[in-house]
Amino acid sequence: MAALPVRDDRRIVLHLDYDCFYASVFEVERPALKSQPLAVQQKQIVVTCNYEARRRGLHKLQLIKDAKRICPEVVIVLGEDLTKFRDASKDIYHFIRSFIWGGRVERLGFDELSLDVTEMVDYNMNLLNQSNIKSSFFHLDKSDPTVGFTYNATGFHGFTNPPQEQESSESANNLSTLGMRLLIGSHLLSHLRSKLEYEKGFTATGGVSTSKLLAKLVGSVHKPNQQTTLIPPYEMDDNTESNVIGFLDSHEIQKIPGIGSRLAQKLRAKVTGQDTGDGKVTVRDVRLHPNMGPPLLEKTLGGPGAAKGIGQRIWGVLHGVDNTEVMEGRDLPSQISIEDTYGRGRLDNIESVRRELTVLTKSLLRRMRTDLVDRGELNAEKPRWLAHPRTLRLSTRPRNPPEIDGTRTYNANRTSRSAPLPSLVFNLDENLDSLAERLVQDHVMGMFRKLHTERSGWDLGLLNIAVTNMVESAGDQKQSSGRDIGKMFRQQETVLREWTVYESDDPPKLTPDVKAVEQCGWQDEDEDEDEDPPLLSIECSICGAPIPHFAQQAHALYHVSEEN
Ligand code: TTP
Ligand code: MG
């Protein structure tokens, strides 16, 4: 049998996933919505709905038409402009981070956080007073012993996995050191969740374990507004079964973060011996498959485009090994990019290009002002740019000309042109409309003409405008030294790609030919490495729009609904 990978269980990691996030943002704005079934619409699809709606049969990625049929009283709100979700996400991130020593909090997409609370837990573990364990005090501030909360350290807060009998002080005494640390972590998580609920209005589901992978997975066991701790034993020996292995084993392989659709398909094909790679295959099926180990996994999953050492890495993941750090303070983006796709014949003349570029450029400038400008608490301070992108980039994707038989192949290649970003974009006094027009007229159109020298004859499927090469502003904080944070983030993205929900450069388009809408994209770990991670898109055979893989089902449904 292949050697077991070594897990580092020294850390205590908490995971938070906000419940029905987009719907909650509306509920926080208008609390009356809480008691109603509420669905958030993007195009013809319910992207999420609150739990009242879920109780009545609605679910994520359902057609609006079906949602209305199943629940005629559903309240539908439009969620195509992501600004308020992004703002809420940032606000919650800063709020939670303010509690965590060393700021060890990482955002995973808009609605998930990983928190490394090892230092806080170990500090409090050392201060546990065994004689008064029922009313222990959790210290949230080393320099002020009055800051914190009391908790009952005789049992875990919330659920455990596997489920435990009712706790007693005796069973707490029997816990291993790891068990006690996880227990303390579970109380901290509960405290953070209730702070989030009472001070910000958001509920969240949480997990406690020793890595991002395990905390995230165990957190999803009890939803919504619950939390679960993966309890020891974590190690396997002759007498004990590892709870980590027991917990992971029953999962379908694609449910494991780090195993995306492509890897899962290859693993299923390997295990079932069928080319299609369909059917349910669990972690246990893969783990115990004859001769399974890093070399066989490397052979099965490796090849062009695969990350080096993939066999070893996936072998680790199958055993719950994830020794990646929780990255701190990732609140400035490495680039901002806005794009839209266009149906045939929509962008074949210079005037329509100018018009669309102005729309996209205005969105880009708005995003820059949201994400890169610090307006201080309560907007009371003079706004300050936190980072200055140095480069403006324009990309297009021309359609291939038709073949002799009239068919057209999909061109996935983009052409790009970059130029220094003119300083006029940093003028916060100018209104966005006139700034966008000036930028397009004086700079972007020139870049476009260099990309497409012919005055006509092209037909564009996509326009993308981006600012990149982000340089953090020299400020009064100790940390900000004007370093190139783009490089730093690119490095993080490579290391942590399997964890990152990208704000996609290739927004999923649920209908063709629609106004630019940014969306969150889900990135599989096994896609090609690229500076701007693309989503795996396939051109829709009906309308020609590129559709990321996770939206294809919903997109197909959209056409069905159109026909009816
Ligand atoms: P999720 O965490 O998948 O969903 P959720 O938070 O709404 O619900 P849950 O309680 O089950 O965690 O996604 C977070 C947000 O991302 C969600 O509110 C809406 C958005 N979203 C998309 O934009 N596209 C999608 O395909 C999905 C599934 C979600
Ligand atoms: Mg969520």
mmCIF file of all heavy atoms in Angstrom, residues 17-21 51 60 111-112 223, ligand 2:
data_model
loop_
_atom_site.group_PDB
_atom_site.id
_atom_site.type_symbol
_atom_site.label_atom_id
_atom_site.label_comp_id
_atom_site.label_asym_id
_atom_site.label_seq_id
_atom_site.Cartn_x
_atom_site.Cartn_y
_atom_site.Cartn_z
ATOM 1 N N ASP A 17 -19.700 30.101 5.819
ATOM 2 C CA ASP A 17 -20.385 30.237 4.523
ATOM 3 C C ASP A 17 -21.713 30.919 4.822
ATOM 4 O O ASP A 17 -22.551 30.364 5.535
ATOM 5 C CB ASP A 17 -20.594 28.830 3.923
ATOM 6 C CG ASP A 17 -21.296 28.860 2.563
ATOM 7 O OD1 ASP A 17 -22.022 29.834 2.272
ATOM 8 O OD2 ASP A 17 -21.122 27.899 1.800
ATOM 9 N N TYR A 18 -21.889 32.134 4.316
ATOM 10 C CA TYR A 18 -23.109 32.876 4.652
ATOM 11 C C TYR A 18 -24.318 32.193 4.001
ATOM 12 O O TYR A 18 -24.242 31.731 2.865
ATOM 13 C CB TYR A 18 -23.039 34.336 4.183
ATOM 14 C CG TYR A 18 -21.678 34.978 4.376
ATOM 15 C CD1 TYR A 18 -21.168 35.871 3.440
ATOM 16 C CD2 TYR A 18 -20.903 34.688 5.499
ATOM 17 C CE1 TYR A 18 -19.921 36.440 3.596
ATOM 18 C CE2 TYR A 18 -19.653 35.260 5.659
ATOM 19 C CZ TYR A 18 -19.167 36.122 4.704
ATOM 20 O OH TYR A 18 -17.925 36.669 4.854
ATOM 21 N N ASP A 19 -25.414 32.190 4.739
ATOM 22 C CA ASP A 19 -26.614 31.525 4.233
ATOM 23 C C ASP A 19 -27.263 32.378 3.142
ATOM 24 O O ASP A 19 -27.365 33.600 3.274
ATOM 25 C CB ASP A 19 -27.600 31.300 5.389
ATOM 26 C CG ASP A 19 -26.988 30.401 6.460
ATOM 27 O OD1 ASP A 19 -26.289 29.434 6.092
ATOM 28 O OD2 ASP A 19 -27.197 30.673 7.658
ATOM 29 N N CYS A 20 -27.717 31.708 2.125
ATOM 30 C CA CYS A 20 -28.414 32.312 0.961
ATOM 31 C C CYS A 20 -27.950 33.753 0.765
ATOM 32 O O CYS A 20 -28.755 34.684 0.860
ATOM 33 C CB CYS A 20 -29.924 32.207 1.108
ATOM 34 S SG CYS A 20 -30.607 32.873 2.638
ATOM 35 N N PHE A 21 -26.679 33.913 0.447
ATOM 36 C CA PHE A 21 -26.030 35.213 0.613
ATOM 37 C C PHE A 21 -26.730 36.373 -0.107
ATOM 38 O O PHE A 21 -27.070 37.380 0.516
ATOM 39 C CB PHE A 21 -24.561 35.119 0.180
ATOM 40 C CG PHE A 21 -23.829 36.419 0.346
ATOM 41 C CD1 PHE A 21 -23.895 37.112 1.549
ATOM 42 C CD2 PHE A 21 -23.089 36.965 -0.696
ATOM 43 C CE1 PHE A 21 -23.230 38.316 1.723
ATOM 44 C CE2 PHE A 21 -22.416 38.163 -0.529
ATOM 45 C CZ PHE A 21 -22.490 38.840 0.671
ATOM 46 N N TYR A 51 -34.361 30.737 2.713
ATOM 47 C CA TYR A 51 -34.755 29.397 3.154
ATOM 48 C C TYR A 51 -36.274 29.248 3.256
ATOM 49 O O TYR A 51 -36.796 28.137 3.160
ATOM 50 C CB TYR A 51 -34.013 29.017 4.444
ATOM 51 C CG TYR A 51 -32.607 28.532 4.088
ATOM 52 C CD1 TYR A 51 -31.579 29.426 3.811
ATOM 53 C CD2 TYR A 51 -32.342 27.178 3.933
ATOM 54 C CE1 TYR A 51 -30.320 28.990 3.421
ATOM 55 C CE2 TYR A 51 -31.081 26.719 3.561
ATOM 56 C CZ TYR A 51 -30.075 27.639 3.300
ATOM 57 O OH TYR A 51 -28.833 27.187 2.907
ATOM 58 N N LYS A 60 -31.693 26.887 -5.821
ATOM 59 C CA LYS A 60 -30.742 27.670 -6.616
ATOM 60 C C LYS A 60 -30.746 27.172 -8.054
ATOM 61 O O LYS A 60 -30.936 25.983 -8.294
ATOM 62 C CB LYS A 60 -29.323 27.531 -6.051
ATOM 63 C CG LYS A 60 -29.147 28.092 -4.664
ATOM 64 C CD LYS A 60 -27.676 28.046 -4.253
ATOM 65 C CE LYS A 60 -27.438 27.082 -3.137
ATOM 66 N NZ LYS A 60 -26.079 27.069 -2.615
ATOM 67 N N ASP A 111 -18.861 34.742 -0.517
ATOM 68 C CA ASP A 111 -19.637 34.403 0.680
ATOM 69 C C ASP A 111 -19.012 33.325 1.560
ATOM 70 O O ASP A 111 -19.714 32.691 2.314
ATOM 71 C CB ASP A 111 -21.077 34.059 0.299
ATOM 72 C CG ASP A 111 -21.282 32.611 -0.035
ATOM 73 O OD1 ASP A 111 -20.359 32.018 -0.606
ATOM 74 O OD2 ASP A 111 -22.346 32.075 0.287
ATOM 75 N N GLU A 112 -17.701 33.154 1.451
ATOM 76 C CA GLU A 112 -17.058 32.187 2.343
ATOM 77 C C GLU A 112 -15.782 32.774 2.930
ATOM 78 O O GLU A 112 -15.062 33.511 2.251
ATOM 79 C CB GLU A 112 -16.704 30.906 1.573
ATOM 80 C CG GLU A 112 -17.921 30.107 1.161
ATOM 81 C CD GLU A 112 -17.543 28.850 0.398
ATOM 82 O OE1 GLU A 112 -16.631 28.138 0.849
ATOM 83 O OE2 GLU A 112 -18.167 28.605 -0.641
ATOM 84 N N LYS A 223 -26.894 22.724 7.533
ATOM 85 C CA LYS A 223 -27.222 24.049 6.994
ATOM 86 C C LYS A 223 -28.703 24.293 7.212
ATOM 87 O O LYS A 223 -29.467 23.337 7.207
ATOM 88 C CB LYS A 223 -26.973 24.088 5.481
ATOM 89 C CG LYS A 223 -25.525 24.081 5.081
ATOM 90 C CD LYS A 223 -25.394 23.954 3.574
ATOM 91 C CE LYS A 223 -25.707 25.263 2.858
ATOM 92 N NZ LYS A 223 -25.316 25.237 1.445
HETATM 93 MG MG MG B 2 -23.600 30.508 1.002
#
